[in-house]
Amino acid sequence: MSFVPSVLIITYLIEHGLLEIVENFADSLLDALGLPSTVLVIMLTGLATISGAIGIASGLLSGNVLTPNEVLFSLLVAEFINKIIIYLRKNLPLQLSIFGKIGIKLATLHLLIYEIPLLIVIVVWYLVFIKG
């Protein structure tokens, strides 16, 4: 899914009640974390495309629906999730087809090298700027 269609689709859904559905679904979990349930919209958009998540985040930020810290946190989580999706859809099959069994190790190592520091940043950002 590319940037423009995903932003248009998500914007349309937000204008027609997506936020209320997301809020009802995720309220308890995100309330326990001290986050508004609207961050889930950015994170779910990040499953398809980070560019789309950035576009959605921009609209939610300019509409004062989310704070800058919440937007950055949700974009970091969206990036984390998106890299796992890319690993499963592209990197793992490519490395497996080229290198065989060692390709699984290569792709997984590449994912871990990227994701572990990102996870540390997410946790620190949450503890300092969201929970703080």
Side-chain angles (χ1 to χ4, degrees), residues 50-116:
I50 288 300
S51 300
I54 292 169
I56 296 302
S58 171
L60 293 173
L61 183 62
S62 67
N64 292 323
V65 176
L66 295 173
T67 67
N69 286 332
E70 292 166 343
V71 166
L72 288 172
F73 176 78
S74 59
L75 286 172
L76 288 169
V77 173
E79 174 70 9
F80 184 85
I81 295 168
N82 184 268
K83 287 300 177 192
I84 293 171
I85 299 298
I86 289 173
Y87 164 78
L88 293 172
R89 283 187 3 198
K90 295 180 181 175
N91 294 348
L92 183 61
L94 177 67
Q95 297 293 331
L96 185 60
S97 68
I98 294 173
F99 299 109
K101 289 182 181 179
I102 193 122
I104 295 172
K105 293 177 183 176
L106 289 172
T108 304
L109 182 62
H110 179 260
L111 177 72
L112 291 174
I113 288 171
Y114 184 84
E115 292 285 67
I116 289 172

